[in-house]
Amino acid sequence: MTDASGNTATCSFTVVISDNQLPTITCPANITGNNDPGLCLKVVTFTAPVGSDNCAGPSTTQTAGLASGAAFPVGTTTNAFRVTDAAGNSATCSFTVIISDNELPTITCPANITGTNDPGLCSKVVTFTAPVGTDNCPSATTTQTAGLSSGAAFPVGTTTNAFLVTDAAGNTATCSFTVVISDNQLPTITCPANITGNNDLGLCSKVVTFSAPVGADNCAGPTTTQTAGLASGAAFPVGTTTNTFRVTDAAGNTATCSFTVSISDSELPTITCPANITGNNDNGLCSKVVTFSAPVGADNCAGPSTTQIAGLPSGSAFPVGTTTNAYLVTDAAGNTATCSFTVIISDNQLPTITCPANITGNNDPGLCSKVVTFSAPVGADNCAGPTTTQTAGLASGSAFPVGTTTNAYLVTDAAGNTATCSFTVVISDNELPTITCPANITGNNDPGLCSKVVTFSAPVGADNCAGPSTTQIAGLPSGSAFPVGTTTNAYLVTDMAGNTATCSFTVVISDSELPTITCPANITGNNDPGPLLESRDFLRPCGC
Protein backbone atom coordinates (compact mmCIF):
# COMPACT_ATOMS: atom_id res chain seq x y z
CA MET A 1 0.00 0.00 0.00
CA THR A 2 1.09 3.32 -0.45
CA ASP A 3 1.04 5.73 2.41
CA ALA A 4 0.60 9.30 2.22
CA SER A 5 4.19 9.70 1.66
CA GLY A 6 4.33 7.07 -0.94
CA ASN A 7 6.48 4.75 1.07
CA THR A 8 5.76 1.14 0.60
CA ALA A 9 6.43 -1.99 2.50
CA THR A 10 6.12 -5.51 1.50
CA CYS A 11 5.68 -8.79 3.29
CA SER A 12 6.35 -12.09 2.25
CA PHE A 13 3.06 -12.97 1.15
CA THR A 14 1.12 -10.89 -0.72
CA VAL A 15 -2.45 -10.10 -0.32
CA VAL A 16 -3.12 -8.01 -3.27
CA ILE A 17 -6.25 -5.96 -2.79
CA SER A 18 -6.93 -3.79 -5.76
CA ASP A 19 -8.67 -0.45 -5.21
CA ASN A 20 -10.87 -0.09 -8.15
CA GLN A 21 -13.14 2.41 -6.59
CA LEU A 22 -12.67 5.75 -8.22
CA PRO A 23 -12.24 8.71 -6.09
CA THR A 24 -14.85 11.47 -6.35
CA ILE A 25 -14.63 15.14 -6.95
CA THR A 26 -17.32 17.81 -7.37
CA CYS A 27 -16.60 21.12 -9.01
CA PRO A 28 -18.40 24.33 -8.29
CA ALA A 29 -21.21 25.28 -10.52
CA ASN A 30 -20.35 27.15 -13.68
CA ILE A 31 -19.61 30.76 -13.07
CA THR A 32 -20.75 33.59 -15.30
CA GLY A 33 -20.02 37.24 -15.10
CA ASN A 34 -19.33 40.40 -16.99
CA ASN A 35 -16.00 41.96 -17.57
CA ASP A 36 -14.67 44.45 -15.15
CA PRO A 37 -15.28 47.95 -16.49
CA GLY A 38 -12.75 49.05 -19.06
CA LEU A 39 -11.06 45.65 -19.04
CA CYS A 40 -11.34 42.61 -21.17
CA LEU A 41 -11.40 40.35 -18.09
CA LYS A 42 -12.88 39.82 -14.66
CA VAL A 43 -11.29 38.73 -11.38
CA VAL A 44 -13.17 35.63 -10.32
CA THR A 45 -12.92 33.76 -7.01
CA PHE A 46 -14.28 30.36 -6.30
CA THR A 47 -13.73 27.40 -3.92
CA ALA A 48 -11.50 24.95 -5.60
CA PRO A 49 -12.88 21.42 -5.38
CA VAL A 50 -11.11 18.72 -3.28
CA GLY A 51 -11.49 15.10 -4.26
CA SER A 52 -12.35 12.32 -1.83
CA ASP A 53 -11.80 8.63 -1.97
CA ASN A 54 -12.61 5.46 -0.18
CA CYS A 55 -9.01 5.28 0.65
CA ALA A 56 -7.10 7.89 2.37
CA GLY A 57 -4.73 10.17 0.58
CA PRO A 58 -6.34 11.10 -2.70
CA SER A 59 -4.69 14.13 -4.27
CA THR A 60 -6.53 16.86 -6.21
CA THR A 61 -4.91 18.95 -8.92
CA GLN A 62 -6.23 21.66 -11.23
CA THR A 63 -5.59 20.49 -14.68
CA ALA A 64 -7.03 23.45 -16.62
CA GLY A 65 -8.16 26.95 -16.13
CA LEU A 66 -7.21 29.60 -13.74
CA ALA A 67 -6.99 29.68 -10.05
CA SER A 68 -9.47 31.41 -7.88
CA GLY A 69 -8.75 35.16 -7.75
CA ALA A 70 -7.30 35.14 -11.20
CA ALA A 71 -8.36 37.66 -13.90
CA PHE A 72 -10.45 35.54 -16.12
CA PRO A 73 -10.48 36.74 -19.70
CA VAL A 74 -13.64 37.53 -21.55
CA GLY A 75 -14.85 34.31 -22.93
CA THR A 76 -15.21 30.83 -21.50
CA THR A 77 -12.47 29.44 -19.28
CA THR A 78 -12.86 25.79 -18.31
CA ASN A 79 -11.48 25.06 -14.93
CA ALA A 80 -10.74 21.29 -14.69
CA PHE A 81 -9.71 19.33 -11.59
CA ARG A 82 -8.45 15.78 -11.20
CA VAL A 83 -8.44 13.70 -8.05
CA THR A 84 -6.13 10.68 -7.97
CA ASP A 85 -6.41 8.12 -5.19
CA ALA A 86 -3.66 6.03 -3.84
CA ALA A 87 -4.50 3.23 -6.22
CA GLY A 88 -4.03 5.62 -9.13
CA ASN A 89 -7.66 5.82 -9.77
CA SER A 90 -8.67 9.31 -10.84
CA ALA A 91 -11.75 11.30 -11.35
CA THR A 92 -12.23 14.76 -12.86
CA CYS A 93 -14.65 17.57 -12.76
CA SER A 94 -14.79 20.91 -14.42
CA PHE A 95 -16.77 24.06 -14.46
CA THR A 96 -16.69 27.01 -16.71
CA VAL A 97 -16.05 30.57 -15.93
CA ILE A 98 -17.76 32.48 -18.62
CA ILE A 99 -16.88 36.14 -18.69
CA SER A 100 -19.11 38.04 -20.97
CA ASP A 101 -17.94 41.25 -22.55
CA ASN A 102 -21.03 43.40 -22.08
CA GLU A 103 -19.12 46.57 -22.42
CA LEU A 104 -20.03 48.14 -25.76
CA PRO A 105 -17.34 49.37 -28.03
CA THR A 106 -17.30 53.08 -28.83
CA ILE A 107 -17.20 54.94 -32.06
CA THR A 108 -17.45 58.68 -32.83
CA CYS A 109 -18.45 59.96 -36.26
CA PRO A 110 -17.48 63.27 -37.78
CA ALA A 111 -19.90 66.13 -37.53
CA ASN A 112 -22.63 66.40 -40.11
CA ILE A 113 -21.46 67.82 -43.42
CA THR A 114 -23.41 70.24 -45.59
CA GLY A 115 -22.60 71.58 -49.02
CA THR A 116 -23.98 72.53 -52.38
CA ASN A 117 -23.81 70.61 -55.59
CA ASP A 118 -20.83 70.89 -57.87
CA PRO A 119 -21.76 73.09 -60.86
CA GLY A 120 -23.72 71.22 -63.49
CA LEU A 121 -23.85 68.07 -61.39
CA CYS A 122 -26.44 66.59 -59.10
CA SER A 123 -23.75 65.70 -56.59
CA LYS A 124 -20.69 66.94 -54.71
CA VAL A 125 -17.41 65.21 -54.01
CA VAL A 126 -17.07 65.08 -50.22
CA THR A 127 -14.05 63.91 -48.18
CA PHE A 128 -14.00 63.13 -44.50
CA THR A 129 -12.04 61.08 -41.95
CA ALA A 130 -13.79 57.79 -41.48
CA PRO A 131 -14.33 56.94 -37.81
CA VAL A 132 -12.58 53.90 -36.19
CA GLY A 133 -14.23 52.22 -33.23
CA THR A 134 -12.46 51.28 -29.94
CA ASP A 135 -13.22 48.62 -27.33
CA ASN A 136 -12.11 47.37 -23.96
CA CYS A 137 -11.15 44.17 -25.75
CA PRO A 138 -8.83 44.01 -28.71
CA SER A 139 -9.82 43.14 -32.26
CA ALA A 140 -12.84 45.39 -32.60
CA THR A 141 -13.69 45.84 -36.28
CA THR A 142 -15.27 48.93 -37.82
CA THR A 143 -17.35 48.78 -40.98
CA GLN A 144 -19.35 51.42 -42.89
CA THR A 145 -22.90 50.15 -42.99
CA ALA A 146 -24.53 52.97 -44.93
CA GLY A 147 -23.63 55.90 -47.08
CA LEU A 148 -20.65 56.58 -49.25
CA SER A 149 -16.96 56.56 -48.67
CA SER A 150 -14.86 59.65 -48.36
CA GLY A 151 -14.04 61.15 -51.77
CA ALA A 152 -17.24 59.86 -53.32
CA ALA A 153 -19.68 62.05 -55.24
CA PHE A 154 -22.46 62.50 -52.75
CA PRO A 155 -25.83 63.01 -54.43
CA VAL A 156 -28.01 66.01 -53.79
CA GLY A 157 -30.06 65.26 -50.75
CA THR A 158 -29.22 63.74 -47.42
CA THR A 159 -26.88 60.79 -47.34
CA THR A 160 -26.53 59.13 -43.94
CA ASN A 161 -23.11 57.66 -43.45
CA ALA A 162 -23.38 54.95 -40.75
CA PHE A 163 -20.53 53.05 -39.15
CA LEU A 164 -20.67 49.86 -37.04
CA VAL A 165 -17.98 48.81 -34.61
CA THR A 166 -18.17 45.18 -33.46
CA ASP A 167 -15.99 43.91 -30.64
CA ALA A 168 -14.82 40.36 -30.21
CA ALA A 169 -17.81 39.66 -28.03
CA GLY A 170 -20.17 40.72 -30.72
CA ASN A 171 -21.05 43.91 -28.93
CA THR A 172 -21.68 46.68 -31.36
CA ALA A 173 -21.90 50.38 -31.41
CA THR A 174 -22.86 52.65 -34.23
CA CYS A 175 -22.54 56.23 -35.19
CA SER A 176 -23.70 58.20 -38.15
CA PHE A 177 -23.46 61.57 -39.70
CA THR A 178 -25.26 63.11 -42.56
CA VAL A 179 -23.89 64.56 -45.72
CA VAL A 180 -26.52 67.02 -46.85
CA ILE A 181 -25.89 68.25 -50.39
CA SER A 182 -28.20 71.05 -51.37
CA ASP A 183 -29.06 71.61 -55.00
CA ASN A 184 -28.88 75.35 -55.35
CA GLN A 185 -28.59 75.23 -59.11
CA LEU A 186 -31.83 76.39 -60.68
CA PRO A 187 -33.42 74.30 -63.38
CA THR A 188 -33.81 75.84 -66.82
CA ILE A 189 -36.81 76.17 -69.07
CA THR A 190 -37.30 77.95 -72.40
CA CYS A 191 -40.74 78.92 -73.68
CA PRO A 192 -41.78 79.24 -77.31
CA ALA A 193 -41.83 82.69 -78.89
CA ASN A 194 -44.93 84.81 -78.41
CA ILE A 195 -47.81 83.85 -80.67
CA THR A 196 -50.16 86.24 -82.42
CA GLY A 197 -53.20 85.56 -84.56
CA ASN A 198 -56.71 86.58 -85.48
CA ASN A 199 -59.88 85.04 -84.13
CA ASP A 200 -61.46 82.09 -85.86
CA LEU A 201 -64.37 83.22 -88.00
CA GLY A 202 -67.51 83.78 -85.97
CA LEU A 203 -65.77 83.00 -82.68
CA CYS A 204 -64.21 85.11 -79.96
CA SER A 205 -61.25 82.78 -79.83
CA LYS A 206 -58.69 80.89 -81.90
CA VAL A 207 -57.47 77.34 -81.53
CA VAL A 208 -53.72 77.58 -81.01
CA THR A 209 -51.22 74.74 -80.89
CA PHE A 210 -47.65 74.97 -79.64
CA SER A 211 -44.89 72.76 -78.28
CA ALA A 212 -45.12 72.96 -74.52
CA PRO A 213 -41.70 73.64 -72.96
CA VAL A 214 -40.04 70.96 -70.82
CA GLY A 215 -37.61 72.06 -68.14
CA ALA A 216 -34.12 70.63 -67.63
CA ASP A 217 -31.98 70.36 -64.51
CA ASN A 218 -28.60 69.23 -63.29
CA CYS A 219 -30.49 66.59 -61.29
CA ALA A 220 -32.81 63.99 -62.65
CA GLY A 221 -36.54 64.24 -62.28
CA PRO A 222 -37.48 67.89 -62.76
CA THR A 223 -41.21 68.32 -63.23
CA THR A 224 -42.72 70.91 -65.52
CA THR A 225 -46.20 72.24 -64.92
CA GLN A 226 -48.23 74.92 -66.62
CA THR A 227 -49.15 77.44 -63.97
CA ALA A 228 -51.08 79.91 -66.11
CA GLY A 229 -52.77 80.07 -69.48
CA LEU A 230 -54.20 77.34 -71.64
CA ALA A 231 -52.92 74.09 -73.04
CA SER A 232 -51.87 73.62 -76.63
CA GLY A 233 -54.89 72.98 -78.82
CA ALA A 234 -57.16 75.06 -76.61
CA ALA A 235 -59.38 77.86 -77.90
CA PHE A 236 -57.51 80.96 -76.80
CA PRO A 237 -59.83 83.91 -76.19
CA VAL A 238 -59.45 87.23 -77.91
CA GLY A 239 -56.95 89.28 -75.96
CA THR A 240 -53.60 88.35 -74.45
CA THR A 241 -53.26 85.07 -72.61
CA THR A 242 -50.01 84.59 -70.74
CA ASN A 243 -48.92 80.97 -70.73
CA THR A 244 -46.57 80.37 -67.81
CA PHE A 245 -44.61 77.20 -67.15
CA ARG A 246 -42.69 76.27 -63.99
CA VAL A 247 -40.02 73.64 -63.74
CA THR A 248 -39.34 72.36 -60.24
CA ASP A 249 -36.31 70.18 -59.52
CA ALA A 250 -36.08 67.56 -56.84
CA ALA A 251 -34.59 70.13 -54.50
CA GLY A 252 -37.56 72.43 -54.89
CA ASN A 253 -35.63 74.95 -56.98
CA THR A 254 -37.85 76.49 -59.61
CA ALA A 255 -37.54 78.40 -62.83
CA THR A 256 -40.30 79.83 -64.93
CA CYS A 257 -40.82 81.04 -68.43
CA SER A 258 -43.79 82.50 -70.16
CA PHE A 259 -45.01 83.50 -73.56
CA THR A 260 -48.10 85.31 -74.68
CA VAL A 261 -50.79 84.23 -77.06
CA SER A 262 -52.33 87.43 -78.40
CA ILE A 263 -55.50 86.87 -80.34
CA SER A 264 -56.81 89.90 -82.16
CA ASP A 265 -60.48 90.28 -82.86
CA SER A 266 -60.39 91.26 -86.53
CA GLU A 267 -64.05 90.48 -87.08
CA LEU A 268 -66.25 93.54 -87.24
CA PRO A 269 -69.43 93.64 -85.19
CA THR A 270 -72.74 93.80 -87.02
CA ILE A 271 -75.70 96.09 -86.65
CA THR A 272 -78.91 96.39 -88.64
CA CYS A 273 -81.04 99.50 -88.47
CA PRO A 274 -84.80 99.65 -88.97
CA ALA A 275 -86.12 100.63 -92.38
CA ASN A 276 -86.45 104.31 -93.14
CA ILE A 277 -89.51 105.91 -91.55
CA THR A 278 -91.74 108.48 -93.17
CA GLY A 279 -94.70 110.37 -91.76
CA ASN A 280 -96.56 113.66 -91.58
CA ASN A 281 -96.26 116.22 -88.84
CA ASP A 282 -98.55 116.01 -85.85
CA ASN A 283 -101.38 118.52 -86.22
CA GLY A 284 -100.35 122.01 -85.29
CA LEU A 285 -96.75 120.99 -84.62
CA CYS A 286 -93.58 121.10 -86.65
CA SER A 287 -92.72 117.59 -85.57
CA LYS A 288 -94.06 114.09 -85.11
CA VAL A 289 -93.54 111.69 -82.23
CA VAL A 290 -91.93 108.61 -83.72
CA THR A 291 -91.24 105.31 -82.00
CA PHE A 292 -89.05 102.51 -83.27
CA SER A 293 -87.00 99.60 -82.03
CA ALA A 294 -83.46 100.86 -81.56
CA PRO A 295 -80.94 98.51 -83.15
CA VAL A 296 -78.56 96.53 -80.94
CA GLY A 297 -75.24 95.43 -82.40
CA ALA A 298 -73.96 91.88 -82.27
CA ASP A 299 -70.42 90.54 -82.29
CA ASN A 300 -68.47 87.33 -82.26
CA CYS A 301 -67.20 88.39 -78.82
CA ALA A 302 -69.29 89.24 -75.81
CA GLY A 303 -69.90 92.75 -74.68
CA PRO A 304 -70.35 94.94 -77.77
CA SER A 305 -71.76 98.33 -76.89
CA THR A 306 -74.23 100.18 -79.10
CA THR A 307 -74.57 103.94 -78.97
CA GLN A 308 -76.68 106.34 -80.96
CA ILE A 309 -74.28 108.77 -82.57
CA ALA A 310 -76.78 110.87 -84.51
CA GLY A 311 -80.47 111.59 -84.50
CA LEU A 312 -83.05 111.25 -81.78
CA PRO A 313 -84.12 108.35 -79.55
CA SER A 314 -87.35 106.48 -80.05
CA GLY A 315 -90.35 108.36 -78.70
CA SER A 316 -88.85 111.75 -79.51
CA ALA A 317 -90.62 114.49 -81.42
CA PHE A 318 -88.83 114.31 -84.76
CA PRO A 319 -88.77 117.67 -86.52
CA VAL A 320 -90.13 118.22 -89.99
CA GLY A 321 -87.42 117.30 -92.46
CA THR A 322 -84.98 114.44 -92.62
CA THR A 323 -83.37 113.25 -89.40
CA THR A 324 -80.66 110.66 -89.84
CA ASN A 325 -80.51 108.26 -86.93
CA ALA A 326 -77.06 106.67 -86.82
CA TYR A 327 -75.88 103.93 -84.50
CA LEU A 328 -72.35 102.77 -83.71
CA VAL A 329 -71.57 99.35 -82.31
CA THR A 330 -68.11 98.94 -80.79
CA ASP A 331 -66.80 95.54 -79.76
CA ALA A 332 -64.32 94.88 -76.99
CA ALA A 333 -61.47 95.01 -79.50
CA GLY A 334 -62.45 98.48 -80.67
CA ASN A 335 -63.80 97.26 -83.99
CA THR A 336 -66.82 99.27 -85.08
CA ALA A 337 -69.75 99.06 -87.43
CA THR A 338 -72.46 101.58 -88.13
CA CYS A 339 -75.92 101.67 -89.56
CA SER A 340 -78.37 104.46 -90.13
CA PHE A 341 -81.91 105.10 -91.16
CA THR A 342 -83.82 108.25 -91.88
CA VAL A 343 -86.93 109.61 -90.26
CA ILE A 344 -88.52 111.86 -92.83
CA ILE A 345 -91.33 113.98 -91.43
CA SER A 346 -93.23 115.84 -94.09
CA ASP A 347 -94.94 119.10 -93.26
CA ASN A 348 -98.26 118.75 -95.05
CA GLN A 349 -99.92 121.45 -93.00
CA LEU A 350 -100.37 124.59 -95.05
CA PRO A 351 -99.28 127.93 -93.68
CA THR A 352 -101.93 130.62 -93.15
CA ILE A 353 -102.12 134.22 -94.23
CA THR A 354 -104.87 136.83 -93.93
CA CYS A 355 -104.92 139.92 -96.11
CA PRO A 356 -106.43 143.29 -95.21
CA ALA A 357 -109.91 144.14 -96.52
CA ASN A 358 -110.22 145.58 -100.00
CA ILE A 359 -109.38 149.27 -100.22
CA THR A 360 -111.19 151.88 -102.33
CA GLY A 361 -110.42 155.55 -102.92
CA ASN A 362 -110.26 158.39 -105.42
CA ASN A 363 -107.20 159.64 -107.20
CA ASP A 364 -105.12 162.32 -105.63
CA PRO A 365 -105.86 165.69 -107.33
CA GLY A 366 -104.05 166.11 -110.62
CA LEU A 367 -102.67 162.57 -110.44
CA CYS A 368 -103.72 159.32 -111.95
CA SER A 369 -103.00 157.55 -108.69
CA LYS A 370 -103.43 157.65 -104.97
CA VAL A 371 -100.90 156.98 -102.23
CA VAL A 372 -102.31 154.11 -100.20
CA THR A 373 -100.95 152.67 -96.96
CA PHE A 374 -101.90 149.40 -95.30
CA SER A 375 -100.51 146.73 -92.98
CA ALA A 376 -98.90 144.08 -95.10
CA PRO A 377 -100.00 140.60 -94.07
CA VAL A 378 -97.46 138.19 -92.52
CA GLY A 379 -98.02 134.46 -92.88
CA ALA A 380 -97.92 132.01 -90.01
CA ASP A 381 -97.08 128.28 -89.95
CA ASN A 382 -96.84 125.32 -87.65
CA CYS A 383 -93.09 125.33 -88.35
CA ALA A 384 -90.72 128.18 -87.80
CA GLY A 385 -89.42 130.28 -90.62
CA PRO A 386 -92.27 130.81 -93.08
CA THR A 387 -91.49 133.56 -95.58
CA THR A 388 -94.07 135.98 -96.88
CA THR A 389 -93.61 137.66 -100.21
CA GLN A 390 -95.83 140.02 -102.16
CA THR A 391 -96.42 138.37 -105.47
CA ALA A 392 -98.59 141.05 -107.05
CA GLY A 393 -99.54 144.66 -106.51
CA LEU A 394 -97.72 147.44 -104.80
CA ALA A 395 -96.22 147.95 -101.41
CA SER A 396 -97.88 149.99 -98.72
CA GLY A 397 -97.16 153.71 -99.25
CA SER A 398 -97.03 153.29 -102.97
CA ALA A 399 -98.95 155.45 -105.44
CA PHE A 400 -101.64 153.05 -106.56
CA PRO A 401 -102.80 153.81 -110.12
CA VAL A 402 -106.37 154.52 -111.01
CA GLY A 403 -108.05 151.22 -111.50
CA THR A 404 -107.95 147.98 -109.60
CA THR A 405 -104.66 146.81 -108.26
CA THR A 406 -104.68 143.30 -106.79
CA ASN A 407 -102.21 142.95 -103.98
CA ALA A 408 -101.36 139.26 -103.63
CA TYR A 409 -99.22 137.66 -100.95
CA LEU A 410 -97.62 134.24 -100.85
CA VAL A 411 -96.50 132.60 -97.63
CA THR A 412 -94.13 129.64 -98.09
CA ASP A 413 -93.18 127.41 -95.19
CA ALA A 414 -89.90 125.52 -94.83
CA ALA A 415 -91.51 122.48 -96.41
CA GLY A 416 -92.52 124.41 -99.49
CA ASN A 417 -96.20 124.46 -98.60
CA THR A 418 -97.84 127.71 -99.66
CA ALA A 419 -100.91 129.76 -98.96
CA THR A 420 -102.04 132.99 -100.60
CA CYS A 421 -104.30 135.87 -99.92
CA SER A 422 -105.13 139.00 -101.86
CA PHE A 423 -107.01 142.22 -101.60
CA THR A 424 -107.79 144.91 -104.11
CA VAL A 425 -106.95 148.57 -104.08
CA VAL A 426 -109.54 150.22 -106.30
CA ILE A 427 -108.66 153.83 -107.15
CA SER A 428 -111.42 155.67 -108.99
CA ASP A 429 -110.60 158.53 -111.36
CA ASN A 430 -113.26 161.11 -110.60
CA GLU A 431 -111.30 163.99 -112.16
CA LEU A 432 -112.74 165.09 -115.55
CA PRO A 433 -110.47 165.42 -118.56
CA THR A 434 -110.04 168.85 -120.23
CA ILE A 435 -110.30 169.95 -123.87
CA THR A 436 -110.08 173.38 -125.58
CA CYS A 437 -111.38 173.97 -129.11
CA PRO A 438 -110.03 176.49 -131.61
CA ALA A 439 -111.85 179.81 -132.05
CA ASN A 440 -114.82 179.96 -134.42
CA ILE A 441 -113.86 180.15 -138.10
CA THR A 442 -115.55 182.24 -140.80
CA GLY A 443 -114.92 182.43 -144.56
CA ASN A 444 -116.35 182.56 -148.08
CA ASN A 445 -116.91 179.67 -150.35
CA ASP A 446 -114.24 178.63 -152.73
CA PRO A 447 -114.97 179.82 -156.25
CA GLY A 448 -117.47 177.72 -158.05
CA LEU A 449 -118.07 175.72 -154.92
CA CYS A 450 -120.67 175.91 -152.29
CA SER A 451 -117.99 175.15 -149.76
CA LYS A 452 -114.63 176.06 -148.60
CA VAL A 453 -111.72 173.90 -147.67
CA VAL A 454 -110.93 174.82 -144.08
CA THR A 455 -107.92 173.68 -142.04
CA PHE A 456 -107.48 174.02 -138.34
CA SER A 457 -105.68 172.36 -135.44
CA ALA A 458 -107.97 169.76 -134.03
CA PRO A 459 -108.17 169.98 -130.27
CA VAL A 460 -106.63 167.18 -128.15
CA GLY A 461 -108.01 166.52 -124.70
CA ALA A 462 -105.87 166.22 -121.60
CA ASP A 463 -106.38 164.27 -118.38
CA ASN A 464 -104.78 163.57 -115.07
CA CYS A 465 -104.43 160.00 -116.29
CA ALA A 466 -102.65 158.90 -119.37
CA GLY A 467 -104.47 157.79 -122.47
CA PRO A 468 -107.49 160.05 -122.82
CA SER A 469 -109.04 159.68 -126.25
CA THR A 470 -110.38 162.60 -128.24
CA THR A 471 -112.98 162.13 -130.92
CA GLN A 472 -114.74 164.60 -133.21
CA ILE A 473 -118.36 164.12 -132.53
CA ALA A 474 -119.72 166.76 -134.93
CA GLY A 475 -118.54 168.74 -137.94
CA LEU A 476 -115.84 168.06 -140.43
CA PRO A 477 -112.18 167.34 -139.99
CA SER A 478 -109.56 169.91 -140.84
CA GLY A 479 -108.93 170.10 -144.59
CA SER A 480 -112.51 169.24 -145.40
CA ALA A 481 -114.68 171.30 -147.75
CA PHE A 482 -116.93 172.98 -145.28
CA PRO A 483 -120.31 173.78 -146.82
CA VAL A 484 -121.68 177.22 -147.03
CA GLY A 485 -123.40 177.81 -143.80
CA THR A 486 -122.51 177.12 -140.21
CA THR A 487 -120.87 173.86 -139.36
CA THR A 488 -120.39 173.16 -135.68
CA ASN A 489 -117.30 171.09 -135.00
CA ALA A 490 -117.70 169.34 -131.66
CA TYR A 491 -115.04 167.23 -129.83
CA LEU A 492 -115.38 164.71 -126.99
CA VAL A 493 -112.47 163.74 -124.76
CA THR A 494 -112.92 160.55 -122.73
CA ASP A 495 -110.42 159.50 -120.07
CA MET A 496 -109.61 155.96 -119.05
CA ALA A 497 -112.13 156.18 -116.27
CA GLY A 498 -114.89 157.15 -118.67
CA ASN A 499 -115.00 160.74 -117.55
CA THR A 500 -115.73 163.08 -120.52
CA ALA A 501 -115.47 166.67 -121.51
CA THR A 502 -116.52 168.46 -124.77
CA CYS A 503 -115.81 171.61 -126.69
CA SER A 504 -117.01 173.01 -130.00
CA PHE A 505 -116.41 175.74 -132.47
CA THR A 506 -118.26 176.85 -135.65
CA VAL A 507 -117.09 177.11 -139.20
CA VAL A 508 -119.33 179.69 -140.92
CA ILE A 509 -118.94 179.72 -144.72
CA SER A 510 -120.68 182.52 -146.57
CA ASP A 511 -121.70 182.02 -150.22
CA SER A 512 -120.52 185.10 -152.03
CA GLU A 513 -120.82 183.56 -155.52
CA LEU A 514 -123.93 183.87 -157.57
CA PRO A 515 -125.67 180.68 -158.27
CA THR A 516 -126.45 178.78 -161.52
CA ILE A 517 -129.07 176.29 -161.73
CA THR A 518 -129.31 172.97 -163.36
CA CYS A 519 -131.25 170.62 -161.35
CA PRO A 520 -129.92 167.18 -161.01
CA ALA A 521 -131.91 164.10 -161.09
CA ASN A 522 -133.67 163.20 -157.96
CA ILE A 523 -131.34 162.02 -155.26
CA THR A 524 -132.01 159.58 -152.53
CA GLY A 525 -129.67 158.69 -149.74
CA ASN A 526 -129.24 158.01 -146.06
CA ASN A 527 -127.84 160.30 -143.47
CA ASP A 528 -124.14 160.10 -142.65
CA PRO A 529 -123.36 158.36 -139.40
CA GLY A 530 -122.77 160.39 -136.28
CA PRO A 531 -124.65 162.33 -133.64
CA LEU A 532 -124.59 165.57 -135.55
CA LEU A 533 -126.00 166.30 -138.93
CA GLU A 534 -123.42 166.68 -141.54
CA SER A 535 -123.71 168.91 -144.55
CA ARG A 536 -123.96 167.05 -147.75
CA ASP A 537 -122.86 168.64 -150.97
CA PHE A 538 -125.36 168.37 -153.53
CA LEU A 539 -126.45 170.43 -156.46
CA ARG A 540 -129.27 172.71 -155.77
CA PRO A 541 -130.63 175.63 -157.61
CA CYS A 542 -128.77 178.75 -157.16
CA GLY A 543 -130.17 180.88 -154.43
CA CYS A 544 -131.15 177.90 -152.27
Side-chain angles (χ1 to χ4, degrees), residues 48-66:
V50 177
S52 61
D53 191 54
N54 57 318
C55 292
S59 64
T60 302
T61 59
Q62 185 170 359
T63 59
L66 296 172

Side-chain angles (χ1 to χ4, degrees), residues 2 11 24 36 67 91 141 205 237 277 316 351 377 415 429 453 495 523 532 535:
T2 301
C11 69
T24 60
D36 291 336
T141 59
S205 60
I277 297 172
S316 298
D429 180 10
V453 174
D495 65 17
I523 297 170
L532 300 179
S535 299

Side-chain angles (χ1 to χ4, degrees), residues 256-443:
T256 60
C257 73
S258 63
F259 66 97
T260 58
V261 179
S262 299
I263 304 302
S264 299
D265 180 9
S266 61
E267 191 167 338
L268 299 182
T270 58
I271 190 169
T272 302
C273 278
N276 293 335
I277 297 172
T278 59
N280 293 325
N281 66 293
D282 291 335
N283 192 38
L285 300 175
C286 193
S287 60
K288 181 177 179 65
V289 173
V290 177
T291 59
F292 54 86
S293 294
V296 177
D299 191 53
N300 55 309
C301 291
S305 62
T306 303
T307 56
Q308 185 169 4
I309 57 175
L312 297 172
S314 175
S316 298
F318 279 73
V320 165
T322 299
T323 300
T324 299
N325 272 11
Y327 290 82
L328 172 71
V329 55
T330 305
D331 64 16
N335 297 312
T336 61
T338 59
C339 73
S340 63
F341 66 98
T342 56
V343 178
I344 300 175
I345 303 303
S346 298
D347 179 12
N348 66 349
Q349 188 168 340
L350 300 181
T352 58
I353 190 168
T354 303
C355 278
N358 293 334
I359 298 172
T360 60
N362 293 323
N363 65 292
D364 291 336
L367 299 175
C368 193
S369 60
K370 181 177 179 64
V371 173
V372 177
T373 59
F374 55 87
S375 295
V378 177
D381 192 52
N382 56 309
C383 293
T387 58
T388 303
T389 56
Q390 187 169 3
T391 58
L394 298 171
S396 175
S398 298
F400 279 74
V402 167
T404 299
T405 300
T406 299
N407 271 10
Y409 290 84
L410 172 71
V411 57
T412 305
D413 64 16
N417 297 311
T418 61
T420 59
C421 73
S422 63
F423 65 97
T424 57
V425 178
V426 179
I427 303 302
S428 298
D429 180 10
N430 67 352
E431 189 170 336
L432 299 181
T434 60
I435 190 167
T436 302
C437 281
N440 293 332
I441 299 171
T442 60

